[in-house]
Amino acid sequence: MSGTSVVVGTIGSDAHVVGITLLEHALKEAGFEVRNLGAQTPKEAFAEAAVETDASAVLVSSLYGHAEQDCEGLHEAFAERGADPTTYIGGNLAVGQSEFEEVRRRFREMGFDGVFSADADFEDVVEALRAEFGIDESASQLARARS
Amino acid sequence: MSGTSVVVGTIGSDAHVVGITLLEHALKEAGFEVRNLGAQTPKEAFAEAAVETDASAVLVSSLYGHAEQDCEGLHEAFAERGADPTTYIGGNLAVGQSEFEEVRRRFREMGFDGVFSADADFEDVVEALRAEFGIDESASQLARARS
Amino acid sequence: MVEDRRLTDAELDRLDERVWTDAPDEARVDFEDAVAFHESLPAHKQFADVLEGADGVLTQPRAGVARLEEQIELLRTLTEEGGADLLPTTIDSYTRDNEYEKAQAGLEQSRETGESELNGFPAVNHGVEGCRSLIEAVDAPVQVRHGTPDARLLAAVTLAGGFQSFEGGPITYNLPYTSKYELAETIEYWQYVDRLCGAYTERGVRINREPFGPLTGTLVPPSIAIAICIVEGLLAATQGVRSVTLGYGQVGNIVQDVAAIRAMERLGPEYLPDAVTVTTVFHQWMGGFPRDEARASGVIALGSATAAIVEPDKIITKSPQEARGVPTAEANATGLRTTDQVLQMLAEQSIDLEGVDREQELIERSVRSLLEAVFEAGDGDVACGVVRAFERGLLDVPFPPSEAAAGDALPARDDDGRVRLLKFGDLAVDEETKEIHRARLEDRAATEDRSPSFRMVADDVSAISDGRLVGRPGDD
Amino acid sequence: MVEDRRLTDAELDRLDERVWTDAPDEARVDFEDAVAFHESLPAHKQFADVLEGADGVLTQPRAGVARLEEQIELLRTLTEEGGADLLPTTIDSYTRDNEYEKAQAGLEQSRETGESELNGFPAVNHGVEGCRSLIEAVDAPVQVRHGTPDARLLAAVTLAGGFQSFEGGPITYNLPYTSKYELAETIEYWQYVDRLCGAYTERGVRINREPFGPLTGTLVPPSIAIAICIVEGLLAATQGVRSVTLGYGQVGNIVQDVAAIRAMERLGPEYLPDAVTVTTVFHQWMGGFPRDEARASGVIALGSATAAIVEPDKIITKSPQEARGVPTAEANATGLRTTDQVLQMLAEQSIDLEGVDREQELIERSVRSLLEAVFEAGDGDVACGVVRAFERGLLDVPFPPSEAAAGDALPARDDDGRVRLLKFGDLAVDEETKEIHRARLEDRAATEDRSPSFRMVADDVSAISDGRLVGRPGDD
Ligand code: B12
Ligand code: B12
């Protein structure tokens, strides 16, 4: 299963990187190949990295409350470059205390395949990706042992 | 103004006496004559003490949540003995979080002239009694100085 | 005169017979049957074992409502949403007054309205079967918490009903809770209760007993609380109790609170017989609470931090709604979670405070001296000694509703917020100790430029509502 | 190469002229006019004086919303309902990125919807007049809190607008907040900011400056935070700043937190010129918060207790809604009241913890060594030294979004919950210190029966959400 390539990063002007730093490590431990774009990544850079690494999934993180504005046009940027990765978004997705279900709906409409609240922990993310790509745990343990 | 006699006590099965113990001292300091009936005082004992001391006011305290039941018949007991003191009740007057205005209304209907929440502090009580009996502060300071 | 002597099996049997005749509609329950019920409970519901075997501080709230189903749900919320390690069942006031008819009326009214019209669980009215359903329905050990001076029937019913821990004692559930009983009376009643616990203990069902250390909850000097708890422990041990939890209520000065629990941990095992396993419980702030929930959370967290430092075996939690009335289940769980957060964050840290030893020394000296006075007053008999010591004011508690205590001991805080005695009455402590208290309070008086007086006491009692520990003049 | 040299008056004037051209619709404000406005403010709104003259720990929240009226109301709520001693105005993210058009759009949208569509107050768009209305409308000193790497225009507008304290600095508002700036760049920008503050200071308006000590808020070793704050203090002092508040974010181990503030209190005045008045600020927990408000209150209270013990000059409070997003005014006030309750209850108590001296010693040694490395790297020039020290990894911060820091320093907690370094990269600390860190982490590894690794770090970061400080294996 080595070859399941994943891109992670925080989008827009967001500089919160603790989450993706740990996510990067957790995904690597789970056997994924990870490209971490770091903080304040423009949407185009996500699309370019997805093409370059032939990414199966792109994981966008946003903590600071402007996710919606920042992600506008992200999926179009993928399409322009002929990329069609599975896309997840996670973090703190709304200014203030609005309801998460409403937030999920909005991001689904924007094209995200998975919308995660800040309650999601690393295992949830790894689980979701495994399910997505039909990877079972033993296979990834093997990959990890080999790496 | 020496002569303004006040009776205090906790009614029914209530044993919370910290409030009335301090109230007793505050009232004495303010120049009132105070008879403290202490904890778990039956309504009849309030009425008897009112008669005995020719009390201008009777202050009933209840903290433990059964004030309503315990005070049933209290005003009748005064009437039976021909006493008609000003009556105040204070403390924690309802089990649970019910609204205080509703509680005040109920105790007013039962005949209490003043209904105080647990937010009332000693000065509020002293103030209320002074207003009731037209005592001004300097007079009571004088009384205190003399005592 | 009452004597500290173990009731014989025959006496217990006779008393038991009589006690059960007061039960509303219940026949005396077969003791063997009760023992069998206890034995049927899984290990994680065995109160004494869970408490004594735990590492870390166990959390326990207070909670009681009228109806059985509601009580079950309440307790479940407290374990599921609050992570409570030990469960309570707080008994209603009518039951505490042995007014089972009024309790019944309240229970029925509650069934009609669907709301709890009682301030606790009327265990006697629910009867043995009701209690057993409760014990079976929840997943942690459960204790009876009450405040009943004459708790004989309550004990008979709840112990037969599967409860394995019973709070209170002849002093701690008399003096703070009622004005109606002589000490000699309640000692007699509790000899029955303790003997009953002893009988279960002899059959392998170690019922845990917990003197109510916080007493009136208000400026109680540690030495008084500890001495009284030890006395109750001794009385219980005489009757065969083998698991005793000494209790103490937070006074709010961290050093004094830590010193007090340490003193209790040292003196408890020293004075109680070796056969007794002694544990300790720390009560979060037992005095008047701030009405504001944000401030109340601060008080709760401070108690939790203190407990995390000194690590008593368990902590009794409060809710942020404490000042308002009986808390909702959710608010109660809130208090538990705030407590847990602080306990866990500090759990790994070793925190040693300077000055604890000195304060502990001071507390221990007073406790010894108070206990000595009891032993002497009773010519070696603790039961008789207690009665006489309180009569003479050698032992005393502040703010007693009861006339069985002199109520001459008047506490106030010193400049550092530690509880000292402004007036000793006839309290049996030595001159040197008194001198230390006096000096500390004079320091405070100097700081505040007023003489030590009742006004200070009143200010200290109200201080917490203004967000402070020490009531300084001009604060409000 | 950037140099630590005071900008001349002519340079300041030229820079000032240029900075103002970026202002959306505002002409450069007359400096004399600005000074006059500051002078018109009453004593209780003079930030530096209030902060430096206070006894006891002052409380200050964070808070910013888009519209002026709403911001005024928010700040009033925080003083009236929260008792805040010092007020903040937190700036929105677009302004931090110097995207004043986007900020304007957000502001206008907010005016339409009546809700705040920005995560802070767009001070530049509100302009000098807007700022002055704010300062006049509230009743306490107000500080600009932001996270803006290039804060030149923001400083020009807000200082002319009557704010008297300005948070941040070339390192602390670069490395944690952005990936887009070289250190040499931000140092230059902040020389202007500091020189402007210096100019006000020379006119008697002592603008307070506060390096942002918490950095990335996550497992930041105290020595790193302190060294960086002192460096920023030195740079500010060069430009004529005379009131500096060194900052530090709670790591959660009480002894380490107390030791850190003490170390800061000792080293600050030692390294900064005598003309500078040094104060300290303690930030309540800056890392990920528990989502549950009850648990969050516990974290807030624990930070408050720590502050009460060590008594920094001020404490920055969090709200129980921290994990969810920008808090409501009420929640913010709630955090303030919980904080106040704990601070006040402990205010009178003198609490001395054992082991603080040793930890303080360890911190101080590392701070000195890090500062030495900066001085050496710059051949005595701090500005140049900072750039080189970060380039070479001699100075570093954990979890930097920026490439201007190596990010090789990897922290983890030891068995007691103190933050140590698992990997030092090229950090300028001596072998002996490294050995101590290593030994502590090996102890922990032994306790947990696993080797020290990134897994530990990840567990430590998440631990707080599970209610703990140290992330042990199998906790979740
Ligand atoms: C630490 C922190 C900072 C640090 C960041 C350091 C750094 N460079 O990383 C500093 C102090 C610099 C900072 C700055 C700011 N912050 Co900040 N910050 C936080 C804080 C306290 C913790 C974040 C964190 O590290 N959590 C720990 C990590 C492990 O959790 P996480 O990131 O949520 O990730 C987890 C999951 O969400 C998931 N996940 C994350 N991303 C993704 C993506 C995918 C696809 C998936 C599946 C899962 C996933 O994985 C992790 C598993 O547990 C939060 C509040 C909180 N959460 O308690 C505020 C918070 C995020 N910050 C906030 C704000 C407003 C800011 C500022 C704009 C203003 C300010 N206060 O200065 C600036 C923004 C700067 C910028 N340009 O981005 C707000 C956001 C408001 C909103 N969304 O409504 C918050 C919520 C605080 C608050 N209550 O106001 N912050
Ligand atoms: C200390 C305390 C105790 C002590 C009492 C010691 C003693 N003998 O006094 C102990 C531990 C023994 C105790 C026992 C019980 N308590 Co209790 N106790 C408290 C507590 C924590 C503080 C009360 C107090 O002393 N406050 C300080 C004084 C100064 O304030 P105060 O009494 O309110 O008086 C002020 C004002 O109200 C006013 N005032 C008082 N009376 C009057 C009268 C008039 C006319 C006026 C004008 C003003 C006035 O004057 C004072 C000025 O500030 C309260 C909760 C709280 N308030 O924080 C619970 C509380 C009152 N107790 C409660 C309960 C249920 C009990 C028990 C039934 C059960 C139990 N938990 O064991 C037993 C009852 C025993 C009995 N038979 O009464 C409940 C009552 C529930 C309700 N009303 O909804 C409370 C609210 C706790 C709770 N949240 O559950 N308690």
Side-chain angles (χ1 to χ4, degrees):
Chain A
M1 66 130 263
S2 137
T4 310
S5 155
V6 178
V7 169
V8 306
T10 33
I11 197 162
S13 293
D14 194 339
H16 292 88
V17 293
V18 178
I20 54 160
T21 309
L22 302 182
L23 216 50
E24 174 191 347
H25 281 268
L27 291 169
K28 280 184 176 159
E29 249 194 291
F32 292 93
E33 279 182 10
V34 186
R35 162 88 69 96
N36 185 347
L37 305 177
Q40 302 190 314
T41 305
K43 45 182 175 280
E44 296 77 20
F46 276 100
E48 280 153 24
V51 172
E52 266 174 41
T53 64
D54 191 20
S56 304
V58 172
L59 271 53
V60 178
S61 180
S62 178
L63 271 281
Y64 76 153
H66 292 299
E68 216 176 323
Q69 296 97 309
D70 291 339
C71 291
E72 233 166 76
L74 173 69
H75 287 82
E76 290 71 9
F78 287 129
E80 274 167 29
R81 286 164 185 79
D84 184 24
T86 295
T87 54
Y88 285 1
I89 185 160
N92 241 313
L93 300 177
V95 177
Q97 312 279 324
S98 38
E99 279 299 324
F100 184 69
E101 278 316 312
E102 165 59 14
V103 168
R104 163 170 286 153
R105 202 187 47 72
R106 284 214 301 279
F107 283 94
R108 276 281 165 79
E109 274 171 17
M110 293 173 67
F112 283 98
D113 301 300
V115 184
F116 291 76
S117 81
D119 283 333
D121 62 22
F122 309 119
E123 269 132 65
D124 299 333
V125 183
V126 168
E127 263 332 298
L129 282 174
R130 277 186 182 139
E132 194 86 48
F133 302 115
I135 305 165
D136 70 10
E137 186 156 2
S138 56
S140 61
Q141 266 165 357
L142 212 70
R144 194 164 62 233
R146 274 204 217 100
S147 75
Chain B
M1 68 129 264
S2 138
T4 311
S5 154
V6 177
V7 170
V8 306
T10 32
I11 197 162
S13 294
D14 195 338
H16 293 88
V17 293
V18 179
I20 54 161
T21 309
L22 302 182
L23 215 51
E24 174 191 349
H25 281 267
L27 290 170
K28 281 185 175 158
E29 249 192 290
F32 293 92
E33 279 182 12
V34 186
R35 163 88 69 98
N36 185 348
L37 305 177
Q40 302 190 315
T41 306
K43 46 181 173 279
E44 296 76 21
F46 276 99
E48 279 154 21
V51 173
E52 265 174 41
T53 64
D54 189 19
S56 305
V58 173
L59 271 53
V60 178
S61 180
S62 178
L63 272 279
Y64 76 154
H66 292 299
E68 216 176 323
Q69 295 98 309
D70 291 339
C71 291
E72 234 165 77
L74 173 69
H75 287 81
E76 290 70 9
F78 288 128
E80 274 168 29
R81 286 166 186 77
D84 184 23
T86 295
T87 54
Y88 286 180
I89 185 160
N92 242 314
L93 299 178
V95 177
Q97 312 280 321
S98 39
E99 280 299 325
F100 183 69
E101 277 317 311
E102 165 59 15
V103 169
R104 161 170 290 152
R105 202 187 48 72
R106 283 215 301 279
F107 283 94
R108 276 281 166 79
E109 275 171 18
M110 292 173 68
F112 283 99
D113 301 299
V115 184
F116 291 77
S117 81
D119 283 333
D121 61 23
F122 309 120
E123 269 130 66
D124 300 332
V125 183
V126 169
E127 263 331 297
L129 282 175
R130 278 187 181 137
E132 195 86 47
F133 302 114
I135 306 165
D136 70 11
E137 185 155 4
S138 55
S140 60
Q141 264 163 0
L142 213 69
R144 195 163 62 232
R146 274 203 218 99
S147 73
Chain C
M1 183 44 123
V2 60
E3 257 183 282
D4 180 31
R5 174 183 66 72
R6 178 182 291 218
L7 303 181
T8 63
D9 290 354
E11 282 170 320
L12 173 62
D13 189 57
R14 216 180 46 238
L15 289 170
D16 205 45
E17 183 69 47
R18 203 188 314 146
V19 162
W20 279 98
T21 60
D22 285 342
D25 337 82
E26 195 148 27
R28 179 178 180 189
V29 167
D30 179 47
F31 185 65
E32 293 307 318
D33 182 56
V35 170
F37 180 78
H38 281 280
E39 284 171 346
S40 78
L41 295 175
H44 70 277
K45 292 196 192 180
Q46 305 286 349
F47 202 102
D49 293 345
V50 169
L51 175 63
E52 294 160 5
D55 45 32
V57 186
L58 300 184
T59 58
Q60 182 179 21
R62 291 190 180 79
V65 284
R67 289 173 304 135
L68 175 62
E69 310 71 46
E70 210 192 344
Q71 178 70 5
I72 292 174
E73 198 175 308
L74 174 56
L75 295 189
R76 283 192 181 151
T77 303
L78 295 174
T79 39
E80 282 160 25
E81 306 291 316
D85 297 310
L86 299 170
L87 289 172
T89 285
T90 301
I91 305 302
D92 72 292
S93 296
Y94 290 128
T95 302
R96 297 167 189 221
D97 290 343
N98 311 105
E99 307 224 47
Y100 309 114
E101 276 169 36
K102 286 195 187 171
Q104 186 65 32
L107 175 57
E108 277 158 22
Q109 210 186 329
S110 305
R111 284 177 180 145
E112 273 159 36
T113 63
E115 306 230 331
S116 184
E117 307 288 342
L118 294 173
N119 59 11
F121 182 79
V124 169
N125 299 80
H126 284 294
V128 173
E129 280 318 307
C131 291
R132 290 187 186 173
S133 315
L134 177 64
I135 299 294
E136 273 169 346
V138 300
D139 216 34
V142 198
Q143 179 185 42
V144 186
R145 303 189 70 88
H146 48 127
T148 315
D150 175 2
R152 291 172 297 172
L153 181 57
L154 180 64
V157 170
T158 53
L159 296 182
F163 286 86
Q164 294 201 340
S165 176
F166 201 77
E167 201 197 18
I171 310 168
T172 62
Y173 268 6
N174 178 342
L175 305 184
Y177 279 95
T178 177
S179 64
K180 296 183 183 147
Y181 292 89
E182 305 281 329
L183 266 173
E185 263 178 286
T186 48
I187 291 177
E188 229 183 274
Y189 300 153
W190 283 84
Q191 284 181 334
Y192 164 78
V193 172
D194 284 329
R195 185 70 202 93
L196 189 59
C197 295
Y200 278 102
T201 302
E202 281 147 30
R203 294 297 306 274
V205 183
R206 280 198 315 133
I207 304 292
N208 171 260
R209 287 273 297 106
E210 181 185 328
F212 176 67
L215 295 162
T216 51
T218 308
L219 299 176
V220 178
S223 56
I224 290 182
I226 298 171
I228 291 177
C229 283
I230 289 177
V231 166
E232 284 194 352
L234 286 169
L235 294 172
T238 302
Q239 305 301 331
V241 169
R242 294 293 170 257
S243 175
V244 170
T245 306
L246 303 176
Y248 169 79
Q250 178 189 13
V251 305
N253 175 287
I254 298 188
V255 169
Q256 193 173 33
D257 283 330
V258 168
I261 293 284
R262 293 255 166 85
M264 211 156 72
E265 280 169 351
R266 175 180 302 165
L267 299 179
E270 186 182 318
Y271 280 93
L272 295 184
D274 290 345
V276 175
T277 305
V278 180
T279 45
T280 57
V281 53
F282 180 76
H283 294 250
Q284 285 175 355
W285 190 265
M286 286 295 293
F289 246 72
R291 294 182 74 73
D292 171 42
E293 297 194 11
R295 294 192 173 277
S297 296
V299 177
I300 288 170
L302 192 58
S304 311
T306 307
I309 293 171
V310 62
E311 296 190 311
D313 297 288
K314 76 175 181 183
I315 181 169
I316 302 288
T317 62
K318 288 251 172 165
S319 101
Q321 296 181 344
E322 173 65 14
R324 291 165 180 264
V326 176
T328 62
E330 287 66 36
N332 216 334
T334 292
L336 279 160
R337 293 201 303 276
T338 299
T339 301
D340 182 67
Q341 183 74 26
V342 174
L343 283 179
Q344 297 305 321
M345 283 182 73
L346 293 177
E348 337 254 358
Q349 304 182 32
S350 48
I351 299 172
D352 292 306
L353 300 170
E354 271 167 44
V356 166
D357 292 349
R358 211 163 347 112
E359 188 66 36
Q360 184 178 343
E361 230 284 296
L362 189 66
I363 294 170
E364 288 182 6
R365 187 155 19 119
S366 297
V367 174
R368 287 180 195 285
S369 154
L370 293 170
L371 288 175
E372 219 36 70
V374 171
F375 301 149
E376 258 178 42
D379 284 328
D381 183 288
V382 179
C384 164
V386 167
V387 174
R388 292 201 185 128
F390 273 104
E391 261 168 22
R392 300 181 198 158
L394 303 171
L395 245 184
D396 197 3
V397 301
F399 306 107
S402 169
E403 302 198 344
D408 290 335
L410 195 63
R413 292 186 186 277
D414 68 15
D415 255 342
D416 207 46
R418 302 185 197 182
V419 174
R420 306 292 177 202
L421 282 161
L422 194 63
K423 290 191 186 148
F424 287 85
D426 295 311
L427 208 67
V429 294
D430 58 54
E431 258 321 303
E432 200 187 326
T433 305
K434 288 185 188 170
E435 209 31 72
I436 295 174
H437 286 239
R438 258 183 233 122
R440 295 290 173 86
L441 289 174
E442 269 157 28
D443 285 349
R444 170 172 172 191
T447 306
E448 297 177 1
D449 195 18
R450 59 172 173 178
S451 50
S453 76
F454 192 85
R455 189 79 230 186
M456 256 183 199
V457 186
D459 288 343
D460 284 348
V461 171
S462 313
I464 194 86
S465 309
D466 309 326
R468 317 188 54 116
L469 195 60
V470 184
R472 305 290 190 187
D475 264 356
D476 37 24
Chain D
M1 184 43 123
V2 62
E3 258 183 283
D4 181 30
R5 176 182 66 72
R6 178 184 290 218
L7 302 179
T8 64
D9 289 355
E11 282 171 320
L12 174 61
D13 189 57
R14 219 181 46 239
L15 288 170
D16 206 43
E17 183 69 48
R18 204 190 308 146
V19 163
W20 279 99
T21 60
D22 286 342
D25 338 81
E26 195 148 26
R28 181 179 178 187
V29 168
D30 179 47
F31 186 65
E32 292 308 317
D33 182 56
V35 169
F37 180 78
H38 281 281
E39 284 171 347
S40 77
L41 296 175
H44 69 278
K45 292 196 192 180
Q46 304 286 351
F47 202 103
D49 293 344
V50 171
L51 174 62
E52 293 160 6
D55 46 30
V57 185
L58 301 184
T59 58
Q60 182 179 21
R62 290 190 181 79
V65 284
R67 289 175 304 135
L68 176 61
E69 309 70 47
E70 209 191 346
Q71 178 70 6
I72 291 174
E73 197 175 309
L74 174 56
L75 295 189
R76 283 193 180 150
T77 303
L78 295 174
T79 39
E80 282 160 26
E81 306 291 315
D85 297 308
L86 300 169
L87 289 172
T89 285
T90 301
I91 306 301
D92 71 292
S93 296
Y94 290 128
T95 303
R96 298 167 189 222
D97 289 344
N98 311 104
E99 306 223 49
Y100 308 115
E101 277 170 37
K102 287 196 188 172
Q104 187 64 34
L107 176 57
E108 278 158 23
Q109 210 187 328
S110 306
R111 284 177 179 145
E112 275 158 36
T113 62
E115 307 229 329
S116 185
E117 307 288 341
L118 294 173
N119 58 12
F121 182 78
V124 169
N125 299 79
H126 284 294
V128 173
E129 281 319 306
C131 291
R132 290 188 185 170
S133 316
L134 177 65
I135 299 294
E136 273 168 346
V138 300
D139 216 36
V142 198
Q143 180 185 43
V144 186
R145 304 189 69 88
H146 47 128
T148 315
D150 174 2
R152 291 173 297 171
L153 181 57
L154 180 65
V157 171
T158 53
L159 296 183
F163 285 87
Q164 295 201 342
S165 176
F166 201 79
E167 200 197 17
I171 309 168
T172 61
Y173 269 6
N174 178 341
L175 305 183
Y177 279 96
T178 176
S179 63
K180 295 183 183 147
Y181 292 88
E182 305 281 329
L183 266 173
E185 264 177 286
T186 49
I187 291 177
E188 231 183 272
Y189 299 154
W190 283 84
Q191 283 180 334
Y192 163 79
V193 172
D194 285 329
R195 185 71 201 92
L196 189 59
C197 295
Y200 278 102
T201 301
E202 280 148 30
R203 293 299 306 274
V205 183
R206 280 197 316 134
I207 304 292
N208 171 261
R209 288 274 295 106
E210 180 186 327
F212 176 67
L215 295 162
T216 51
T218 308
L219 299 176
V220 178
S223 57
I224 290 181
I226 298 170
I228 290 176
C229 283
I230 290 178
V231 166
E232 284 193 353
L234 286 169
L235 294 171
T238 300
Q239 305 301 331
V241 169
R242 293 294 171 258
S243 176
V244 171
T245 306
L246 304 176
Y248 169 80
Q250 178 190 12
V251 305
N253 176 286
I254 297 188
V255 170
Q256 192 172 34
D257 283 331
V258 168
I261 293 284
R262 293 255 166 86
M264 211 155 72
E265 280 168 351
R266 175 180 302 166
L267 299 179
E270 184 181 322
Y271 279 93
L272 295 183
D274 289 345
V276 175
T277 305
V278 181
T279 44
T280 57
V281 53
F282 180 77
H283 295 249
Q284 285 174 354
W285 190 264
M286 287 294 292
F289 246 72
R291 294 181 74 72
D292 171 41
E293 296 194 11
R295 294 191 172 277
S297 296
V299 176
I300 288 169
L302 191 57
S304 312
T306 308
I309 293 172
V310 62
E311 296 191 311
D313 297 287
K314 74 174 183 184
I315 181 168
I316 303 287
T317 62
K318 288 250 172 167
S319 99
Q321 296 181 345
E322 173 64 15
R324 294 169 178 262
V326 176
T328 61
E330 287 66 35
N332 216 335
T334 292
L336 278 160
R337 293 202 302 276
T338 299
T339 301
D340 182 67
Q341 183 74 27
V342 174
L343 283 179
Q344 298 305 321
M345 283 182 73
L346 293 177
E348 338 253 358
Q349 305 182 32
S350 49
I351 299 173
D352 292 306
L353 301 169
E354 271 167 44
V356 166
D357 291 349
R358 211 163 347 112
E359 188 66 36
Q360 185 179 343
E361 230 285 296
L362 190 66
I363 294 170
E364 287 183 7
R365 184 154 20 119
S366 296
V367 174
R368 287 180 195 283
S369 154
L370 293 170
L371 289 175
E372 219 37 69
V374 171
F375 302 149
E376 258 177 42
D379 285 328
D381 184 288
V382 178
C384 164
V386 167
V387 174
R388 292 200 185 129
F390 274 105
E391 261 168 24
R392 298 181 198 158
L394 302 171
L395 247 184
D396 197 3
V397 301
F399 306 108
S402 169
E403 300 198 344
D408 290 336
L410 196 63
R413 292 187 186 277
D414 69 15
D415 255 342
D416 208 45
R418 301 186 197 181
V419 174
R420 307 293 177 199
L421 282 161
L422 193 64
K423 289 188 185 153
F424 287 84
D426 295 311
L427 208 68
V429 294
D430 59 52
E431 258 321 302
E432 200 186 325
T433 304
K434 289 185 188 171
E435 208 32 71
I436 295 174
H437 285 239
R438 257 183 234 123
R440 294 291 173 85
L441 290 174
E442 269 158 27
D443 285 349
R444 169 172 173 191
T447 306
E448 297 177 1
D449 195 18
R450 60 173 172 175
S451 49
S453 76
F454 193 84
R455 190 79 230 186
M456 256 183 200
V457 186
D459 288 343
D460 284 348
V461 171
S462 314
I464 193 86
S465 309
D466 309 324
R468 319 188 52 117
L469 195 60
V470 184
R472 305 291 190 187
D475 264 355
D476 36 26

